[in-house]
Amino acid sequence: MNTFPTSGLPLSEPIDFLLADVAIRVQLSATNHKLAVARYEAVNKWIERPGSPLEGCVDVFYAQGSMAIGATIASKLVHDEFDIDLIAQLNLPADTPPHRMLDLLEAAIRGEPGSRYHEMTVRCTRCIQIRYADGMHLDVTPMVRLAHLPERCGFIFHARHRHEDRDDRRIVANPWGFAQWFMEHTPAELAFANVFEARAADYEATLFVAKAESEPVPDLVAPHRKSMALIALQLLKRWRNVQYDQREGRCPPSVVLAKFVADNANCTRTLSEELLHQAKQLKLAFARAQLTRELIVVSNPACQSDVFTDRWPEGLEAQGAFLSDLMVLVRKLEQLTGDCDLATMQQILSDLFGERPALEAIRAFNRRAGLAIVQGESRHVPGSGRFDIAAGGSAAAATAITTGAAAASRVTPKHTYFGGPAPR
């Protein structure tokens, strides 16, 4: 194994440091999290403004999906674009035609010509999207509560056109319930969460160095306590996006990956073990489905009528393509966690997660490892990814590398769980 001698620290192997740093570089930073919260609070107030078509109609407005569980990563491979998914629970009749429900929300957000969101608003098949100049998107999905179903469970609405169509439908969904279930099944390991947050904060602080003389550095409080399962989910989403970046058609929905990760969490000791374990479980599930020539079905444990696989996979070919990807992923992760030198690690990490975050993670690791070597606390074993830590200095050296230059956020293709732009 690529390993430091056992130190009792939550990150004890070079590959664990590197995977953590890749995840930090592709996730939503604490700064962007604050910005997203400020923006969706502003949108909530705007939708309910006097004269809005939805004035007095919003029962509750909340984050859903990756934003709700702390798993948001950038929606593009090259540019820092983040999709923030929101629910607007509306006090409207449940039998409102789907296209009409989207009409009302679109009108409430778009507003009059010259108003704040008028030129930023895009209608999609299940949501209204607000596109900011910095690349952040807010996807607002209208929902009507169904009182006979579990808490916050209701209809969301699917309509491709601005007029009634045979494809229009109401879909039972409970994203709030799923978020609660996911967090219950992936509790943060305190030691890991503390180390991961320290690395993220260190990296993000470096982003403000150039501005430090003229602007105060913001308070960098991590928005979520991270579990290894949650970081594995972010890495799996990033890997999926790399695989599907140039492909036609839909990619596996983030919520499907999240369901599998939560089902199989809390079984490992290290981040690399967790990621490999989760990849193997996904491979096993999809291999079984493909063997029986059945499409995999994944439902919301908080509401069985909420089917996450309603639009993907479209057929056995799409399912088989994902299974082939998973087989390669498992093979490469097994290589990463074996006897693997840093150059090979960098190549595999680039293949799996993209060149930029992999290269930045390797550079950050080398800086911290080099410092530990200079201080006489660590010694690199040539030709391998192993570092031996000098006697008496193991805790200090490991801590220096663990809490040093880390990685904050960037990176991935937009998931298609709530649909693309609708034809005008």
Side-chain angles (χ1 to χ4, degrees), residues 297-356:
V297 176
V298 180
S299 298
N300 186 344
C303 179
Q304 290 298 317
S305 299
D306 183 4
V307 180
F308 295 154
T309 48
D310 64 330
R311 295 196 286 177
W312 182 93
E314 303 94 326
L316 289 174
E317 183 178 356
Q319 182 168 276
F322 185 56
L323 174 58
S324 296
D325 292 336
L326 287 168
M327 294 171 69
V328 174
L329 173 64
V330 168
R331 185 169 67 249
K332 290 188 175 182
L333 289 177
E334 288 176 337
Q335 186 178 358
L336 272 178
T337 55
D339 191 9
C340 185
D341 61 34
L342 286 175
T344 304
M345 285 184 188
Q346 179 179 329
Q347 184 58 57
I348 295 175
L349 291 171
S350 295
D351 292 343
L352 296 180
F353 308 115
E355 183 176 0
R356 184 178 66 174

Side-chain angles (χ1 to χ4, degrees), residues 51 86 96 127 139 230 281 307 316 324:
L86 308 168
T96 302
C127 69
D139 294 344
L230 182 59
Q281 294 304 309
V307 180
L316 289 174
S324 296

Side-chain angles (χ1 to χ4, degrees), residues 99-370:
H99 76 282
R100 179 57 180 156
M101 188 67 71
L102 289 168
D103 286 345
L104 289 168
L105 183 58
E106 180 183 17
I109 294 176
R110 188 181 297 278
E112 299 297 324
S115 59
R116 65 172 71 177
Y117 301 115
H118 188 77
E119 298 300 326
M120 302 162 58
T121 303
V122 177
R123 184 188 181 110
C124 303
T125 55
R126 299 187 184 183
C127 69
I128 305 302
Q129 185 175 88
I130 304 171
R131 296 181 176 178
Y132 293 86
D134 60 8
M136 185 178 289
H137 302 156
L138 299 190
D139 294 344
V140 186
T141 299
M143 170 179 276
V144 172
R145 175 84 172 91
L146 297 175
H148 65 284
L149 293 180
E151 185 177 2
R152 296 201 188 179
C153 189
F155 280 145
I156 60 173
F157 302 84
H158 177 100
R160 294 184 179 277
H161 306 288
R162 298 177 186 276
H163 55 79
E164 190 171 356
D165 184 84
R166 70 174 69 182
D167 187 51
D168 291 357
R169 60 189 185 275
R170 300 172 187 84
I171 301 161
V172 174
N174 189 1
W176 180 85
F178 178 74
Q180 303 308 305
W181 177 88
F182 180 91
M183 289 186 288
E184 289 172 3
H185 284 74
T186 59
E189 302 93 347
L190 182 60
F192 176 84
N194 288 340
V195 170
F196 186 86
E197 289 172 10
R199 293 179 76 83
D202 283 352
Y203 178 80
E204 190 162 356
T206 67
L207 303 180
F208 295 94
V209 170
K211 300 180 180 180
E213 293 184 1
S214 58
E215 300 180 21
V217 176
D219 182 19
L220 301 176
V221 178
H224 298 275
R225 305 311 305 271
K226 303 288 188 178
S227 65
M228 288 191 295
L230 182 59
I231 302 308
L233 173 59
Q234 291 182 301
L235 290 168
L236 286 169
K237 288 169 59 180
R238 171 63 180 182
W239 161 79
R240 172 208 60 187
N241 291 337
V242 170
Q243 307 310 305
Y244 283 80
D245 186 43
Q246 301 299 323
R247 294 183 190 175
E248 297 293 330
R250 298 186 183 279
C251 67
S254 295
V255 70
V256 171
L257 301 180
K259 171 60 165 60
F260 277 105
V261 165
D263 278 340
N264 297 291
N266 310 316
C267 297
T268 61
R269 301 176 302 107
T270 68
L271 180 57
S272 55
E273 288 179 358
E274 180 71 19
L275 182 58
L276 178 57
H277 169 67
Q278 294 291 350
K280 286 181 174 179
Q281 294 304 309
L282 278 167
K283 174 188 168 184
L284 179 62
F286 278 86
R288 286 172 175 167
Q290 198 70 2
L291 182 63
T292 58
R293 300 190 63 77
E294 296 177 342
L295 295 182
I296 201 160
V297 176
V298 180
S299 298
N300 186 344
C303 179
Q304 290 298 317
S305 299
D306 183 4
V307 180
F308 295 154
T309 48
D310 64 330
R311 295 196 286 177
W312 182 93
E314 303 94 326
L316 289 174
E317 183 178 356
Q319 182 168 276
F322 185 56
L323 174 58
S324 296
D325 292 336
L326 287 168
M327 294 171 69
V328 174
L329 173 64
V330 168
R331 185 169 67 249
K332 290 188 175 182
L333 289 177
E334 288 176 337
Q335 186 178 358
L336 272 178
T337 55
D339 191 9
C340 185
D341 61 34
L342 286 175
T344 304
M345 285 184 188
Q346 179 179 329
Q347 184 58 57
I348 295 175
L349 291 171
S350 295
D351 292 343
L352 296 180
F353 308 115
E355 183 176 0
R356 184 178 66 174
L359 180 59
E360 290 181 2
I362 288 287
R363 286 174 175 169
F365 177 82
N366 282 338
R367 284 196 298 270
R368 302 306 303 175

